[in-house]
Amino acid sequence: MAHRIRSGNPGDWVHSMRLLWKSVDKMRCLRKRSTIPFLGFLITFLLFLNLYIEDGYVLEEDKRQLREASVHPPSSERYVHTFRDLSNFSGTINVTYRYLAGTPLNRKKYLTIGLSSVKRKRGNYLLETIKSIFDQSSYEELKEIVVVVHLADFDLVWCENLVQEITRKFAHHIISGRLLVIQAPEEYYPSLDGLKRNYNDPEDRVRFRSKQNVDYAFLLNFCTNLSHFYMMLEDDVRCSRNFLTVLKKVITSREGSYWVMLEFSKLGYIGKLYHSRDLPRLAHFLLMFYQEMPCDWLLIHFRGLLAQKDVIRFKPSLFQHMGYYSSYKGAENKLKDDDFEEDSIDIPDNPPASLYTNINVFENYDATKAYSTVDEYFWGKPPSTGDFFVIVFNKSTKISKIKIATGSDDRQNDFLHHGALEVGEKLVGTKKGKQCSSYITLGEFKNGNIEVQDVDHKIAFEIECVRIVVTASQKEWLIIRSISLWTTQPPSQ
């Protein structure tokens, strides 16, 4: 922490006051000539006095911290060692890691998968998780990933035994540079005693989640320069087949749009994707607020601070929680992601777009929610013949499949009774925003739903708009539950 340094010597204070009164005495003779110099002098004096008092406080604060450091030297030293360079959020944190298995390759990979693991009271799923990552990846996909495991337990005997198991089971992946096992030494950790008890959590729970934040921060910090993208997983996860191919397809479809975090599972820290360039800031962020709240809450705040307001989540989920016992006290944890599919290669990848409709929107069920990947929907008042709902892409794209569902289980009559699906080109600006000037009809809605395959074979042009048109008025309101699009990747992808 940087402080201004000024003298707090009482003798200096007395000397300054004498000079002040001499100056004031001289100014009495001049006060009839002008009051401006006196006012200027008075302001200068007040500023001087404020700085003196402030610096006196700072000096006292420095002394207090020094006294605390002398009483608690170990925790204080660890704190300073860890946080001394937080002013540079774009740089990595100075930590000397222990390499327990493997070493980083010089070539940057496409994706790093990060796991942090500690000793559990009941069960251990780390080996199964690592096995799932490798087993569900093709030979070509394995060339583009590196898995980093941070053994974050301070029990070195446990770490050593686990490393032996990992080395025995995954030796060829370690030799190939696809698997690294590391540890951040305990002396780099901040104090885990006397932490804030936010949310009335018990002390041991606060300690556990605070340490977990630091565990992840050190893992993120290590992974900064290993690849272009980073995927956060937990150590008790099962993967879907060829998940990397799906990730690459989604990332490619969002080129040119801004995002901080893409989500491929709705649970905890599982399946959260970042640009590697953001990892230093995220690591610093977790360290700065390590004792405030759980990691998954901090990830939401981080995403918002970097101006991604909405969740960007893709379904079906690519990762599933498989553990039955939590790493916290071995408590039962049977959470499952009901959106997970073992074979998720057919995941939709809605490209970035703007949405417009002339249907009267009910409350905050706006058009974007039908295109969202989370469990939301568009809800409008009864539409009339000719009303429309249009998706305008940020850039023209090739689409292989379109699937749209209207209505809901709760309101089964609020579906599109009569409507058509169109795709368009030749974008033009209008008073109501951008629109395509030329459309081709792909099909009619049946029972409120439509699915069109092989769109790229039926349409010769690159699509700039997708439009739903109401072909007959209805008395019922309209829910558009989901709009799912599958893009066609260029051959080089």
Side-chain angles (χ1 to χ4, degrees):
M1 187 179 291
H3 299 298
R4 287 188 295 270
I5 300 174
R6 292 181 183 272
S7 172
N9 192 318
D12 293 341
W13 169 250
V14 173
H15 179 68
S16 300
M17 290 302 294
R18 285 174 179 168
L19 290 174
L20 172 67
W21 292 119
K22 285 181 180 179
S23 300
V24 170
D25 189 55
K26 288 180 180 179
M27 289 193 70
R28 285 174 184 162
C29 301
L30 300 172
R31 65 179 183 268
K32 292 182 181 178
R33 299 178 187 176
S34 176
T35 59
I36 294 175
F38 176 76
L39 290 174
F41 182 85
L42 183 60
I43 291 168
T44 303
F45 166 68
L46 291 173
L47 288 172
F48 172 82
L49 183 61
N50 178 63
L51 287 173
Y52 185 90
I53 293 171
E54 180 183 77
D55 287 340
Y57 170 77
V58 169
L59 286 168
E60 287 303 313
E61 181 66 12
D62 286 344
K63 290 174 185 176
R64 184 186 66 77
Q65 290 181 3
L66 287 171
R67 285 197 299 269
E68 287 182 357
S70 64
V71 175
H72 306 289
S75 62
S76 178
E77 288 171 5
R78 285 202 299 269
Y79 186 92
V80 172
H81 190 72
T82 303
F83 293 95
R84 63 188 173 187
D85 55 356
L86 275 181
S87 58
N88 181 14
F89 269 44
S90 62
T92 55
I93 302 158
N94 185 20
V95 177
T96 303
Y97 295 88
R98 296 192 184 106
Y99 287 81
L100 305 181
T103 54
L105 297 177
N106 291 328
R107 185 176 72 85
K108 239 181 185 181
K109 297 292 188 78
Y110 185 83
L111 179 72
T112 300
I113 300 169
L115 311 169
S116 181
S117 189
V118 295
K119 181 168 64 176
R120 295 169 181 258
K121 292 184 181 294
R122 302 171 70 183
N124 191 309
Y125 311 98
L126 177 61
L127 296 176
E128 291 178 64
T129 300
I130 298 172
K131 185 176 186 299
S132 180
I133 292 170
F134 292 138
D135 285 355
Q136 298 289 63
S137 302
S138 68
Y139 177 71
E140 292 301 317
E141 289 170 332
L142 288 174
K143 293 179 180 178
E144 300 190 74
I145 66 173
V146 57
V147 179
V148 179
V149 178
H150 179 208
L151 295 185
D153 203 281
F154 298 148
D155 184 340
L156 299 183
V157 175
W158 174 83
C159 290
E160 184 179 341
N161 291 336
L162 188 54
V163 168
Q164 288 177 4
E165 279 193 77
I166 293 171
T167 303
R168 187 172 63 253
K169 288 181 179 289
F170 305 106
H172 61 295
H173 292 297
I174 293 172
I175 293 168
S176 301
R178 286 192 289 269
L179 177 60
L180 305 175
V181 184
I182 62 165
Q183 185 181 53
E186 184 178 0
E187 58 264 25
Y188 286 91
Y189 278 71
S191 174
L192 297 172
D193 296 318
L195 301 171
K196 293 181 182 178
R197 290 185 58 187
N198 296 340
Y199 317 109
N200 291 321
D201 283 345
E203 285 186 24
D204 58 345
R205 176 69 183 176
V206 172
R207 179 185 173 89
F208 171 82
R209 63 171 168 77
S210 298
K211 179 183 176 297
Q212 192 175 53
N213 285 332
V214 183
D215 295 342
Y216 278 116
F218 287 154
L219 172 61
L220 295 165
N221 182 66
F222 178 86
C223 295
T224 295
N225 296 311
L226 299 182
S227 61
H228 299 290
F229 299 96
Y230 175 86
M231 173 64 71
M232 178 180 283
L233 291 185
E234 294 185 18
D235 64 348
D236 53 356
V237 166
R238 192 167 87 250
C239 307
S240 68
R241 190 171 290 110
N242 300 115
F243 64 88
L244 179 63
T245 298
V246 179
L247 290 176
K248 291 184 71 175
K249 183 172 183 283
V250 168
I251 291 169
T252 302
S253 74
R254 301 197 73 82
E255 282 181 359
S257 68
Y258 179 78
W259 59 270
V260 177
M261 179 172 74
L262 303 182
E263 303 186 29
F264 296 88
S265 170
K266 63 182 180 183
L267 300 179
Y269 331 119
I270 299 173
K272 306 301 183 273
L273 183 74
Y274 296 90
H275 296 277
S276 292
R277 63 174 180 262
D278 287 332
L279 296 187
R281 283 190 287 186
L282 180 54
H284 283 302
F285 184 78
L286 292 181
L287 279 178
M288 177 171 284
F289 300 105
Y290 77 105
Q291 63 175 310
E292 301 297 335
M293 62 185 68
C295 184
D296 49 341
W297 295 8
L298 287 174
L299 297 182
I300 295 170
H301 285 290
F302 180 78
R303 185 198 76 210
L305 287 169
L306 267 63
Q308 181 190 317
K309 183 181 70 171
D310 298 319
V311 174
I312 306 174
R313 183 164 73 82
F314 296 88
K315 293 187 291 185
S317 297
L318 300 181
F319 307 97
Q320 177 66 287
H321 179 257
M322 68 176 176
Y324 291 105
Y325 302 106
S326 168
S327 51
Y328 173 63
K329 285 188 170 182
E332 283 194 5
N333 180 10
K334 297 182 180 180
L335 279 176
K336 295 294 178 185
D337 188 336
D338 52 14
D339 292 326
F340 173 75
E341 290 182 10
E342 191 80 29
D343 292 297
S344 295
I345 198 69
D346 199 33
I347 188 171
D349 56 334
N350 295 6
S354 301
L355 287 89
Y356 307 96
T357 183
N358 64 344
I359 301 169
N360 289 327
V361 179
F362 175 63
E363 293 186 351
N364 63 338
Y365 294 88
D366 57 78
T368 59
K369 294 188 175 177
Y371 199 64
S372 168
T373 52
V374 296
D375 296 325
E376 300 177 317
Y377 54 83
F378 165 81
W379 198 7
K381 296 180 181 180
S384 302
T385 303
D387 283 353
F388 63 85
F389 185 108
V390 64
I391 304 160
V392 180
F393 300 125
N394 291 1
K395 61 179 182 180
S396 59
T397 185
K398 286 186 176 293
I399 295 175
S400 60
K401 185 168 82 169
I402 302 174
K403 183 178 180 180
I404 300 174
T406 69
S408 71
D409 293 337
D410 295 335
R411 298 182 177 274
Q412 296 182 5
N413 289 327
D414 289 1
F415 65 92
L416 182 57
H417 294 247
H418 303 280
L421 176 64
E422 303 175 338
V423 292
E425 62 173 340
K426 298 177 182 176
L427 207 60
V428 295
T430 68
K431 291 180 179 179
K432 296 182 179 180
K434 292 182 178 179
Q435 292 272 13
C436 285
S437 58
S438 174
Y439 283 95
I440 292 177
T441 301
L442 288 180
E444 303 287 328
F445 280 77
K446 293 182 180 179
N447 299 318
N449 301 315
I450 189 169
E451 181 173 336
V452 183
Q453 304 270 5
D454 301 320
V455 177
D456 51 331
H457 295 160
K458 299 172 182 176
I459 303 299
F461 55 84
E462 289 199 350
I463 295 169
E464 295 182 272
C465 305
V466 172
R467 185 168 71 175
I468 301 168
V469 179
V470 179
T471 54
S473 300
Q474 63 186 61
K475 296 179 180 179
E476 295 80 9
W477 290 31
L478 174 62
I479 288 175
I480 302 179
R481 189 168 73 251
S482 64
I483 299 173
S484 301
L485 307 178
W486 286 257
T487 61
T488 302
Q489 300 299 317
S492 61
Q493 298 298 321

